[in-house]
Amino acid sequence: MQALSPTTTGVAFLARPGRPAVVARTLAELAGPTRGLVELPVRLMWNAERTFDLGDPDQLLWMYENVLRETTRSEDLRVLINGRVLRRVWRLLNLPRGVRQAWESRHRGLRAA
């Protein structure tokens, strides 16, 4: 899977100062889990409590927010985020403006989700 960054899209969308938002080329390639427990690597979540129960809506949102905001690797998106779930919860996610703009710029369907 290849991901888009500001340098390939020509638009600078930042997850935070100095960190470009990483965006998947297609939502279909996001094949992350839809249930069960998921433990994020330390590079995505520095807290000792890095395990999320995807059956708990609040934990699912918190995990997705962390992955979308913190990742610098397209592989993280592919293995941790599920495209169908992302579409379903998109409006509920609390994301930095740059992350939301980057994803909605590439995946216009998320704007209407």
Side-chain angles (χ1 to χ4, degrees):
M1 173 174 103
Q2 293 182 348
L4 300 179
S5 69
T7 56
T8 58
T9 63
V11 179
F13 294 120
L14 300 178
R16 68 166 87 162
R19 178 177 289 179
V22 179
V23 179
R25 289 197 181 273
T26 70
L27 296 180
E29 63 194 315
L30 301 177
T34 59
R35 59 189 166 137
L37 298 177
V38 175
E39 183 175 349
L40 294 183
V42 173
R43 72 178 178 281
L44 297 178
M45 182 73 167
W46 305 292
N47 192 327
E49 303 285 326
R50 295 189 322 271
T51 301
F52 298 85
D53 179 355
L54 299 183
D56 179 324
D58 291 332
Q59 288 189 34
L60 181 136
L61 293 175
W62 181 231
M63 187 195 93
Y64 272 47
E65 290 163 357
N66 277 282
V67 172
L68 294 172
R69 182 181 60 246
E70 299 298 332
T71 192
T72 59
R73 303 174 182 187
S74 58
E75 180 68 9
D76 290 337
L77 297 173
R78 190 181 71 71
V79 301
L80 296 169
I81 302 294
N82 182 279
R84 286 188 309 268
V85 173
L86 181 62
R87 255 190 302 270
R88 189 185 77 219
V89 302
W90 182 251
R91 289 278 182 219
L92 302 173
L93 294 171
N94 183 14
L95 297 168
R97 182 176 307 159
V99 173
R100 187 169 295 280
Q101 289 174 330
W103 279 83
E104 289 180 354
S105 174
R106 176 67 183 167
H107 305 289
R108 302 213 185 267
L110 290 175
R111 290 183 196 172

